[in-house]
C-alpha cells in the first residue's frame, strides 16, 4: 500500500475554485448588461433578451439555452410583456418588488438576489435572470425545463413483481419519486453542492427521528470534506466517503430503484442522491444486504427464504468451486468418489496444462467474454456469445486443450457470480476468486483454508460508516437475523436493524399474524 | 505490512508443492492383489484404470477396449515390488481410490500377519476397503477378469458384496479390529472365479457367457492370521446375521405343498451371555428379522392372520436351525471364535473376561450357544394364496 503514499509535495495552485467576481450589480441597466455579458463571454449558449417598454429598454432577461423551457418562457413572460402589454392601471414598472407583488409574471418560483455571484449561479442552474432598470437587485425565475430521460424501468435491477420506476438523471425527479413513497414531512432532503466546476447538486435523504443523528453527522462531515473539480456519478463520492479504501468489497450500496432507497430510509439508513446520475447511494451497507434482492420483499417469504439459501450457496460456488476443483484433482484425488474421479481423469487425459493453469486460462477467457459482451455494440453482441459458446466451449474441449469438467466448473462459477443481486459485490467476488485459485494451485485445500480464513478476517474487519460489515451475524444480533438467512414474514419481523433503527422502536405492531380469531370478512 | 509479508513467506517456505500431481500423471489403482512369490517374498498385482477407455469424449463414438489393465511385480515387500513395477509403469501409482484387496489362497494359508502393514501405514490408502481371499486361485488371475456391466471389474466385486448383504467396504476394517483383539478371530470374505451361465463352458470376454467373479462365502483365520478354511455363502450369511453385519437375506422353506420365501430387510441380532454356577459362560443369540413374503407357491391364504403367524413360526424355526448348525460347525470344525462372542463377553462382564481371556480359544468350542429367531412378515405382496390355486384348494 506504500506505493500509493507519495511524499507531500507543495500544494498545487487551486485552479478549481470558482472565479471570484469583482464587479457588483449597478442600478444602470446598460452597465449591468456589460457585466453579465463579460462574465458569460464566449459562452455560446448564453442568450440575452432586452425588453423595451414604452420604447425604452426597461428589462433585461438572460438565460442559458437548453436549460430552461423556452416555450414556457415565451408564453409566460414574453407574450404579456411584448404584445399584450401590462394590465391597465399599473403604471410603469419601477421595481422588481412590483413585478412580484403585482403578480405580473405567472411564474411559480421567484427569488430576489443582490449578489452577482448568486445571480450567475442561478443562471448556470438553468434559471432565468431578470434585471430591471434602476434596480441593484436581480430576479431569478425558475423555468427549468431541461431535456431529460423519462422515468423508466431500471435496467440493472429488474423484478418480476414490484414497482417498475427507476431513478433518472434529474435529482428533482428522483427526490420526487422518494417523496411520493413517503408522504411525511419527516422525510428530509438536505441539499449540498459538490464539485468546484461541476457544482453538482447532492441531497442527503433520511427520515427524521429514525436515522441516527451520529450517522447523519458522519455523512454530512464526510461529504463536506470532498474537494474535487467535478462529479459525474455517485461513484465519485463513494470513493471519498467509504471507510476502507483498499478492499474490493463495496461498503456503500448503490441502487437505481426508488423503492430500495425508501425501504432503506425506513430502516434508518441514509441515502445520498446525486444529480446527473440515476444511482443513489445508501449507507451503511452490510455484507448481507449485498445478497438481498428487491424482490425478496415482494414475494412470499417461503420462496424468498429458499432463494436466499440458493444465493448463499451460489456465493460460495463463485468463491470456491474452481479452487476446490483444482485442489482436489491435483492434491487430493482421494477425496473424489471413484467413478467421478475416473470420469475427470478421462476428461483430463491428453490436456497439456496443469489444472491450475487450465483454470486460470478459462477464468481469464470467461472474464474477457463477459467484458466483451458488455462493451460490444448490440449488433455484434451475438457474435461474442457464438464465439464464446462454440470456440471456447466446444472446440477447445474437442481439440483437447481444456478438459470438459473445467469448462463446466468455470461456466457454473460465472453463472453463480451473476446470481448475486448487487453487481458490485459480484465483481468483488470475481476478483477474489483469482488469488483463491492460485492458493489452491500452490497449497491445495490447505491453501483454500488459508484463503478462507484471511478473507473472513478481512470481511469482519470492514466497517461501513461504523457499522461492522457482517452485522447482524458478527457481531450477532439475534433479533436482526430474521432478515438474513431467511426472511421472516412481515408480522413476525417487527423491528428494524439495531445499528441504524435503534432499539425501543418497532416498525410493525405486535399480534398481527392473520388468524381466524382476528376476525374475517364474514364476521 | 511486514507481518503480512513474513507470514506469506512462511507459508511458501514451510509448506510447498509437496504432493502436487496432475491426474494424468497418476495411475489410479482400483485393486491390489497379494500373492506368494517363489522366493518367499510377495508378488503384487494391480488393476489400473485406463481413463481414456472408460469415458467417451465429446460424443466421438463409444469407448474402445478395456477400461483397465493389470500389472504385477515381485519383491521382498510391497514397496519393493512397487519399485520393481515402476520400471514398467509410466505414471506414479496412486492408491487413494483403491477399493479392494485380493489375497491369493496360498498367501492366506501361509499367513498375512507380516504382509499387510502398508494398508495402515500409507496416508494414501483408505481403510475403507473391501478384502477378499481368492478361493482356489491367485490374485493375479482374478485381477484380469473383466465384468460386462462395470467398467472396472473391481467395483463389480465390491457391489456384489454389498448387494448380497455383506460387509462391503468395511470388510478390511473388520478384519483389522478382529486381528488385534482377544475375543474374536478374523474372517475375510472370499471370492472365486465362475462363469455367467452355470454348467456351460465360459466363452470369451465379450461373449454372452463370460467369466465372472462370485462371492464364495467367508474364509476363517486363526490368531496367527493364517487361513484355516472356508464357509459357504449360506453359512457366511448366518454368521454375519449373528455378528450383526447382515443387511438383507432371503429365507426359503422347503415344503412339499409349495415353497415359500421371505426377503428380510430389517435384520438384527442380540447376544446375551450368562454364567452357570461354575462360572462357565453360555450365550443366547436372539435373531430378529422383518420382511416381505415374496413367494408363496402353496395354497395357503396369507390374508388370514393365523396362517401368517404359522408361516412366521416356520420361517423362524428354519432360520434358528440353520444358524445353530453353522455355529456348531464353527465350534466343532474350526474351533475359532469368528463370531466375536469373546468380545461380547468382554463388553458385558469385563471382570470375568479378564480370567477367561487367557484360554478363551479352548473355552469357546465347548460353550453352549442357543439361537432363537423371531421373524415377522410385514408385507404379503399382491395376493393372498397363489393365484394358480382353485378356490377349493386354498387353505384358509
Amino acid at each position: 500500500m506504500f506505493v500509493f503514499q507519495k511524499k507531500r509535495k507543495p500544494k498545487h495552485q487551486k485552479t478549481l475554485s470558482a472565479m471570484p467576481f469583482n464587479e457588483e450589480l449597478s442600478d444602470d441597466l446598460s452597465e449591468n448588461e456589460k457585466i453579465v455579458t463579460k462574465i458569460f463571454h464566449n459562452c455560446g449558449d448564453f442568450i440575452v433578451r432586452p425588453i423595451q417598454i414604452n420604447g425604452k429598454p426597461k428589462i433585461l432577461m438572460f438565460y442559458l439555452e437548453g436549460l430552461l423551457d423556452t416555450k414556457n418562457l415565451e408564453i409566460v413572460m414574453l407574450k404579456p410583456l411584448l404584445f399584450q402589454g401590462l394590465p391597465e392601471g399599473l403604471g410603469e414598472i419601477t421595481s422588481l418588488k412590483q413585478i412580484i407583488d403585482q403578480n405580473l409574471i405567472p411564474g411559480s418560483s421567484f427569488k430576489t438576489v443582490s449578489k452577482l455571484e448568486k445571480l450567475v449561479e442561478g443562471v448556470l442552474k438553468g434559471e432565468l435572470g431578470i434585471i430591471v432598470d434602476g434596480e441593484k437587485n436581480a430576479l431569478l425565475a425558475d423555468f427549468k425545463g431541461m431535456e431529460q430521460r423519462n422515468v423508466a424501468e431500471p435496467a440493472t435491477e429488474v423484478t418480476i413483481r414490484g414497482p417498475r420506476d427507476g431513478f433518472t438523471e434529474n435529482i428533482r425527479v428522483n427526490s420526487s419519486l422518494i417523496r411520493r413513497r413517503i408522504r411525511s414531512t419527516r422525510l428530509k432532503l438536505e441539499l449540498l453542492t459538490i464539485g468546484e466546476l461541476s457544482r453538482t447538486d447532492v441531497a442527503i435523504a433520511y427520515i427524521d427521528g429514525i436515522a441516527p443523528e451520529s450517522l447523519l453527522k458522519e455523512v454530512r462531515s464526510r461529504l463536506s470534506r470532498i474537494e474535487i473539480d467535478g462529479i459525474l456519478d455517485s461513484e465519485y463520492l463513494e470513493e471519498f466517503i467509504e471507510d476502507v479504501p483498499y478492499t474490493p468489497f463495496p461498503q456503500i450500496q448503490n441502487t437505481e430503484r426508488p423503492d430500495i432507497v425508501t425501504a432503506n430510509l425506513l430502516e434508518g439508513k441514509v441515502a445520498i442522491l446525486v444529480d446527473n446520475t440515476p444511482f443513489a447511494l445508501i449507507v451503511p451497507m452490510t455484507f448481507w444486504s449485498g445478497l438481498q434482492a428487491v424482490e425478496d420483499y415482494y414475494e412470499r417469504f417461503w420462496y424468498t427464504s429458499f432463494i436466499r439459501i440458493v444465493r448463499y450457496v451460489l456465493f460460495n460456488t463463485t468463491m470456491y468451486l474452481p479452487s476446490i476443483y483444482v485442489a482436489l484433482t491435483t492434491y487430493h484425488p482421494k477425496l473424489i468418489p471413484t467413478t467421478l474421479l475416473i470420469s475427470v481423469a478421462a476428461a483430463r487425459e491428453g490436456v497439456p496444462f496443469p489444472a491450475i493453469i487450465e483454470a486460470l486460462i478459462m477464468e481469464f477467457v470467461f472474464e474477457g467474454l463477459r467484458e466483451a459482451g458488455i462493451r460490444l455494440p448490440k449488433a455484434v453482441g451475438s457474435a461474442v456469445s457464438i464465439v464464446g459458446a462454440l470456440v471456447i466451449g466446444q472446440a477447445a474441449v474437442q481439440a483437447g486443450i481444456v478438459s470438459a469438467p473445467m469448462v463446466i466448473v468455470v461456466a457454473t462459477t460465472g453463472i453463480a457470480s451473476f446470481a448475486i443481486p448487487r453487481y458490485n459485490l459480484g465483481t468483488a467476488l470475481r476478483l477474489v476468486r483469482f488469488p483463491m485459485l492460485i492458493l489452491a494451485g500452490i497449497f491445495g485445500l490447505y491453501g483454500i483454508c488459508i484463503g478462507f480464513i484471511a478473507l473472513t478476517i478481512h470481511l469482519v474487519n470492514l466497517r461501513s460508516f461504523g457499522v461492522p460489515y457482517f452485522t447482524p451475524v458478527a457481531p450477532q444480533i439475534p433479533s436482526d437475523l430474521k432478515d438474513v438467512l431467511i426472511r421472516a414474514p412481515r408480522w413476525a419481523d417487527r423491528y428494524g436493524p439495531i445499528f441504524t433503527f435503534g432499539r425501543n422502536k418497532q416498525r410493525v405492531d405486535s399480534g398481527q399474524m392473520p388468524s381466524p380469531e382476528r376476525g374475517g370478512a364474514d364476521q | 505490512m511486514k507481518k503480512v509479508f513474513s507470514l506469506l513467506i512462511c507459508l511458501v517456505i514451510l509448506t510447498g508443492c509437496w504432493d502436487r500431481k496432475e491426474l494424468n500423471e497418476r495411475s489410479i489403482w482400483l485393486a491390489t492383489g497379494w500373492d506368494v512369490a517363489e522366493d518367499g517374498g510377495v508378488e503384487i498385482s494391480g488393476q489400473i484404470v485406463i481413463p481414456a477407455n472408460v469415458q467417451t469424449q465429446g460424443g466421438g463414438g463409444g469407448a474402445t477396449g478395456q477400461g483397465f489393465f493389470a500389472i504385477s511385480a515381485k519383491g521382498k515387500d510391497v514397496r519393493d515390488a512397487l519399485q520393481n513395477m515402476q520400471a514398467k509403469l509410466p505414471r506414479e501409482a496412486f492408491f487413494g481410490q483403491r477399493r479392494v484387496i485380493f489375497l491369493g489362497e496360498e498367501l492366506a494359508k501361509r499367513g498375512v500377519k507380516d504382509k499387510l502393514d502398508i494398508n495402515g501405514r500409507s496416508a494414501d490408502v483408505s481403510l475403507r476397503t473391501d478384502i477378499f481371499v481368492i478361493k482356489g486361485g491367485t490374485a493375479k488371475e482374478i485381477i484380469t477378469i473383466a465384468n460386462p456391466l462395470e467398467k472396472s471389474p473391481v467395483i463389480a466385486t465390491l457391489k456384489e458384496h454389498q448387494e448380497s448383504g455383506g460387509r462391503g467396504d468395511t470388510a478390511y476394517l473388520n478384519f483389522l479390529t478382529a486381528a488385534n483383539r482377544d475375543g474374536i478371530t478374523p474372517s475375510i470374505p472370499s471370492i472365486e472365479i465362475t462363469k455367467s451361465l452355470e454348467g456351460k463352458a465360459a466363452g470369451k470376454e465379450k461373449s454372452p457367457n463370460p467369466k465372472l467373479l462370485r462371492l464364495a462365502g467367508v474364509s476363517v483365520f486363526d490368531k496367527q492370521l493364517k487361513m484355516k478354511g472356508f464357509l459357504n455363502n449360506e453359512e457366511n450369511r448366518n454368521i454375519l446375521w449373528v455378528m450383526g453385519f447382515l443387511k438383507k437375506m432371503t429365507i426359503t422353506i422347503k415344503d412339499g405343498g409349495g415353497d415359500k420365501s421371505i426377503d428380510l430387510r430389517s435384520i438384527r441380532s442380540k447376544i446375551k451371555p450368562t454364567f452357570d454356577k461354575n462360572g462357565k459362560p453360555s450365550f443366547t443369540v436372539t435373531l430378529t428379522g422383518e420382511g416381505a413374503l415374496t413367494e408363496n407357491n402353496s395354497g395357503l391364504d396369507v390374508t388370514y392372520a393365523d396362517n401368517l403367524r404359522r408361516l412366521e413360526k416356520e420361517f423362524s424355526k428354519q432360520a434358528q436351525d440353520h444358524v445353530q448348525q453353522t455355529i456348531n460347525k464353527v465350534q466343532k470344525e474350526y474351533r475359532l471364535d469368528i463370531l466375536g462372542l469373546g468380545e461380547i463377553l468382554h463388553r458385558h462382564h469385563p471382570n470375568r473376561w479378564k480370567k477367561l481371556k487367557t484360554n478363551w480359544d479352548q473355552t469357546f468350542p465347548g460353550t453352549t450357544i442357543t439361537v432363537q429367531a423371531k421373524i415377522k412378515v410385514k408385507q404379503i405382496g399382491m395376493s393372498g394364496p397363489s393365484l394358480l390355486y382353485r378356490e377349493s384348494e386354498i387353505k384358509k
Side-chain angles (χ1 to χ4, degrees):
Chain A
M1 312 297 153
F2 46 82
V3 188
F4 299 100
Q5 287 170 357
K6 287 186 188 146
K7 273 181 191 160
R8 292 251 174 247
K9 278 183 187 167
K11 255 195 171 178
H12 287 289
Q13 205 190 341
K14 246 185 176 177
T15 54
L16 311 177
S17 61
M19 245 185 289
F21 302 113
N22 304 321
E23 295 93 340
E24 282 200 6
L25 283 172
S26 76
D27 51 2
D28 182 31
L29 191 65
S30 54
E31 192 68 29
N32 282 341
E33 190 178 350
K34 265 183 215 158
I35 296 169
V36 174
T37 41
K38 194 184 150 203
I39 290 171
F40 286 96
H41 177 66
N42 266 359
C43 295
D45 51 349
F46 183 66
I47 287 172
V48 187
R49 178 75 168 89
I51 295 169
Q52 293 181 348
I53 293 173
N54 300 335
K56 278 185 243 165
K58 264 288 175 196
I59 301 174
L60 192 71
M61 293 198 297
F62 45 92
Y63 57 93
L64 291 172
E65 197 176 13
L67 289 188
L68 46 71
D69 189 350
T70 327
K71 208 168 202 173
N72 201 10
L73 178 74
E74 277 166 9
I75 295 168
V76 174
M77 294 276 314
L78 297 177
K79 254 190 183 169
L81 288 173
L82 294 178
F83 304 134
Q84 293 158 350
L86 294 167
E88 302 259 328
L90 282 176
E92 284 192 17
I93 294 170
T94 49
S95 72
L96 285 170
K97 202 168 172 290
Q98 196 188 355
I99 296 183
I100 304 169
D101 285 354
Q102 297 185 341
N103 296 332
L104 293 183
I105 306 169
S108 55
S109 161
F110 286 106
K111 54 188 177 216
T112 326
V113 288
S114 53
K115 285 213 173 111
L116 184 61
E117 216 173 314
K118 289 271 179 216
L119 177 67
V120 173
E121 198 182 302
V123 172
L124 286 171
K125 272 186 186 169
E127 287 168 325
L128 176 74
I130 305 167
I131 303 175
V132 180
D133 192 26
E135 278 271 342
K136 274 194 106 169
N137 288 352
L139 198 67
L140 283 173
D142 195 349
F143 280 99
K144 272 185 213 154
M146 205 181 13
E147 281 302 315
Q148 65 182 41
R149 197 162 61 93
N150 287 331
V151 173
E153 192 173 0
T156 55
E157 291 156 293
V158 189
T159 55
I160 309 272
R161 182 178 170 181
R164 298 202 193 281
D165 52 347
F167 285 139
T168 69
E169 281 74 14
N170 187 327
I171 191 170
R172 274 282 143 263
V173 174
N174 295 352
S175 65
S176 72
L177 289 175
I178 300 172
R179 177 68 76 183
R180 258 182 25 199
R181 288 175 165 80
I182 302 177
R183 289 179 176 159
S184 163
T185 50
R186 284 169 70 190
L187 169 67
K188 307 290 182 194
L189 289 158
E190 284 179 18
L191 289 173
L192 292 110
T193 311
I194 302 177
E196 301 293 343
L197 286 176
S198 69
R199 312 296 296 159
T200 311
D201 283 337
V202 173
I204 304 173
Y206 61 94
I207 295 180
D208 194 25
I210 297 180
E213 199 49 52
S214 54
L215 173 65
L216 272 170
K217 238 163 103 187
E218 193 59 36
V219 173
R220 282 184 205 125
S221 83
R222 286 191 194 185
L223 282 176
S224 61
R225 281 202 297 255
I226 300 171
E227 282 182 28
I228 189 173
D229 55 347
I231 305 274
L232 299 185
D233 186 87
S234 48
E235 209 275 344
Y236 280 49
L237 298 182
E238 197 178 327
E239 283 185 17
F240 282 107
I241 63 175
E242 62 192 1
D243 293 48
V244 186
Y246 292 117
T247 174
F249 289 91
Q251 301 143 63
I252 293 171
Q253 188 180 335
N254 64 60
T255 178
E256 47 176 337
R257 295 187 62 101
D259 50 337
I260 294 187
V261 170
T262 313
N264 281 293
L265 291 181
L266 289 172
E267 286 185 353
K269 294 182 182 171
V270 173
I272 301 165
L273 307 179
V274 180
D275 202 9
N276 298 326
T277 174
F279 287 94
L281 302 178
I282 298 167
V283 292
M285 178 196 184
T286 61
F287 174 78
W288 310 105
S289 60
L291 290 168
Q292 295 167 354
V294 224
E295 199 143 353
D296 288 7
Y297 300 93
Y298 301 145
E299 292 287 353
R300 296 184 64 77
F301 66 91
W302 283 111
Y303 177 69
T304 298
S305 303
F306 163 70
I307 214 75
R308 282 216 176 144
I309 291 162
V310 169
R311 249 180 245 145
Y312 290 121
V313 171
L314 290 177
F315 175 87
N316 285 311
T317 310
T318 314
M319 291 290 271
Y320 300 114
L321 184 66
S323 322
I324 287 176
Y325 175 78
V326 168
L328 286 188
T329 52
T330 47
Y331 289 94
H332 322 281
K334 195 180 160 182
L335 297 181
I336 310 175
T338 313
T339 356
L340 181 61
L341 179 77
I342 293 173
S343 298
V344 174
R348 272 203 59 79
E349 206 59 33
V351 173
F353 307 109
I356 171 71
I357 302 293
E358 201 188 349
L360 285 173
I361 293 175
M362 286 308 288
E363 288 288 354
F364 190 80
V365 168
F366 175 78
E367 287 299 307
L369 273 177
R370 191 190 58 79
E371 186 63 17
I374 297 173
R375 301 288 158 244
L376 270 177
K378 272 208 181 95
V380 253
S382 59
V384 173
S385 47
I386 291 167
V387 169
L390 288 183
V391 176
I392 314 295
Q394 215 180 336
V397 171
Q398 276 186 351
I401 294 168
V402 289
S403 60
M406 184 58 83
V407 175
I408 297 170
V409 164
V410 171
T412 313
T413 312
I415 289 168
S417 80
F418 290 117
I420 291 162
R422 301 270 166 266
Y423 184 73
N424 51 359
L425 187 65
T427 51
L429 289 190
R430 286 213 293 276
L431 268 186
V432 174
R433 203 173 50 184
F434 284 96
M436 201 66 86
L437 198 52
I438 291 165
L439 275 174
I442 301 175
F443 304 116
L445 281 183
Y446 170 70
I448 296 180
C449 291
I450 288 178
F452 172 76
I453 292 168
L455 186 73
T456 311
I457 292 174
H458 175 71
L459 283 175
V460 296
N461 271 310
L462 289 181
R463 294 273 189 287
S464 172
F465 280 78
V467 175
Y469 204 44
F470 261 44
T471 317
V473 173
Q476 201 179 61
I477 300 164
S479 64
D480 288 0
L481 287 174
K482 284 180 181 171
D483 195 13
V484 175
L485 251 185
I486 54 154
R487 180 176 80 77
R490 230 158 242 118
W491 37 261
D493 188 11
R494 293 168 44 213
Y495 306 97
I498 276 174
F499 267 98
T500 51
F501 195 80
R503 290 164 209 273
N504 308 325
K505 281 186 269 186
Q506 61 180 28
R507 300 183 63 185
V508 178
D509 240 339
S510 62
Q512 291 200 72
M513 184 179 129
S515 72
E517 286 86 62
R518 280 172 59 82
D522 51 354
Q523 277 183 340
Chain B
M1 218 58 231
K2 269 185 189 165
K3 273 185 201 162
V4 176
F5 272 120
S6 49
L7 185 73
L8 283 176
I9 288 165
C10 282
L11 278 179
V12 178
I13 295 173
L14 297 180
T15 63
C17 318
W18 72 100
D19 54 358
R20 204 189 76 83
K21 202 108 208 169
E22 294 298 327
L23 273 183
N24 36 14
E25 295 165 359
R26 298 184 199 257
S27 57
I28 303 166
W29 283 52
L30 290 177
T32 318
W34 268 260
D35 279 314
V36 184
E38 294 89 27
D39 55 2
V42 287
E43 177 162 19
I44 297 300
S45 45
Q47 196 178 80
I48 296 173
V49 184
I50 310 173
N53 282 357
V54 171
Q55 198 76 358
T56 54
Q57 269 255 7
T64 49
Q66 285 293 359
F68 69 96
F69 77 105
I71 192 164
S72 81
K74 289 170 192 161
K76 294 184 199 74
D77 63 1
V78 179
R79 288 316 297 191
D80 190 39
L82 279 178
Q83 179 173 287
N84 296 336
M85 186 186 294
Q86 196 72 64
K88 53 180 174 177
L89 191 63
R91 297 182 182 184
E92 191 190 75
F94 168 64
F95 297 100
Q97 296 286 348
R98 202 217 35 220
R99 308 298 297 276
V100 180
I101 297 169
F102 291 115
L103 303 174
E105 186 177 349
E106 186 55 33
L107 182 99
K109 276 183 182 155
R110 292 192 193 183
V112 295
K113 199 154 197 155
D114 52 353
K115 296 280 187 286
L116 299 179
D117 172 64
I118 190 160
N119 293 321
R121 189 168 303 280
S122 166
D124 238 8
V125 297
S126 173
L127 282 181
R128 261 191 70 182
T129 171
D130 207 344
I131 182 168
F132 294 106
V133 169
I134 289 113
K135 193 173 183 180
T138 60
K140 212 159 73 170
E141 197 178 331
I142 279 269
I143 227 147
T144 59
I145 294 174
N147 187 287
L149 287 180
E150 300 289 334
K151 282 283 181 185
S152 57
V154 162
I155 304 292
T157 57
L158 178 61
K159 283 185 179 170
E160 280 164 15
H161 195 190
Q162 282 165 341
E163 282 302 308
S164 45
R167 281 176 270 196
D169 55 7
T170 57
Y172 183 65
L173 209 58
N174 280 323
F175 169 72
L176 274 189
T177 50
N180 54 33
R181 283 199 193 153
D182 291 319
I184 182 168
T185 52
S187 55
I188 296 180
S190 66
I191 204 161
E192 65 188 353
I193 301 173
T194 177
K195 55 219 169 211
S196 189
L197 293 171
E198 310 267 343
K200 272 193 155 188
K204 283 251 161 57
E205 212 163 77
K206 295 230 161 160
S207 76
N209 182 20
K211 278 187 186 172
L212 288 178
L213 297 178
R214 179 177 69 178
L215 211 61
V218 71
S219 56
V220 182
F221 280 70
D222 67 5
K223 277 281 156 210
Q224 275 62 51
L225 302 189
K226 287 183 181 163
M227 195 186 82
K228 290 291 157 199
F230 292 101
L231 293 174
N232 66 19
N233 268 333
E234 200 207 328
E235 289 159 342
N236 182 24
R237 278 194 291 268
N238 292 336
I239 281 170
L240 290 176
W241 194 355
V242 175
M243 291 168 91
F245 290 128
L246 197 66
K247 291 179 193 76
K248 58 179 182 181
M249 182 181 188
T250 303
I251 299 175
T252 304
I253 313 172
K254 191 98 189 101
D255 185 355
D259 299 345
K260 306 168 194 79
S261 282
I262 180 170
D263 281 9
L264 295 180
R265 287 289 165 164
S266 171
I267 300 173
R268 275 180 197 89
S269 136
K270 208 173 150 191
I271 305 174
K272 202 172 173 254
T274 45
F275 294 91
D276 64 8
K277 284 173 227 150
N278 309 324
K280 195 171 175 297
S282 58
F283 295 89
T284 317
V285 180
T286 314
L287 304 174
T288 51
E290 288 173 2
L293 187 72
T294 43
E295 206 168 336
N296 172 20
N297 286 315
S298 70
L300 193 69
D301 189 351
V302 285
T303 49
Y304 290 92
D306 289 350
N307 288 344
L308 212 53
R309 296 290 94 79
R310 212 165 64 221
L311 207 55
E312 281 175 353
K313 259 182 206 154
E314 281 177 46
F315 279 126
S316 304
K317 176 82 172 45
Q318 161 128 346
Q320 198 168 308
D321 290 351
H322 284 209
V323 174
Q324 187 78 59
Q325 276 167 27
T326 310
I327 291 178
N328 290 347
K329 182 178 174 186
V330 170
Q331 275 182 308
K332 292 209 174 74
E333 203 172 306
Y334 293 110
R335 310 174 69 81
L336 290 169
D337 181 13
I338 56 170
L339 298 165
L341 295 180
E343 279 302 304
I344 304 273
L345 207 60
H346 186 181
R347 252 175 263 153
H348 282 79
H349 305 281
N351 286 328
R352 286 182 192 248
W353 173 246
K354 274 178 197 160
K355 273 174 240 151
L356 286 164
K357 185 164 75 173
T358 39
N359 47 0
W360 177 244
D361 291 348
Q362 284 75 51
T363 325
F364 171 73
T367 315
T368 322
I369 301 167
T370 330
V371 179
Q372 287 170 352
K374 284 174 197 158
I375 285 174
K376 272 191 179 160
V377 178
K378 283 280 166 182
Q379 291 111 35
I380 56 163
M382 306 291 287
S383 54
S386 169
L387 296 179
L388 304 171
Y389 284 76
R390 261 177 278 137
E391 182 70 27
S392 57
E393 290 169 327
I394 294 171
K395 285 174 258 173
K396 290 185 177 168

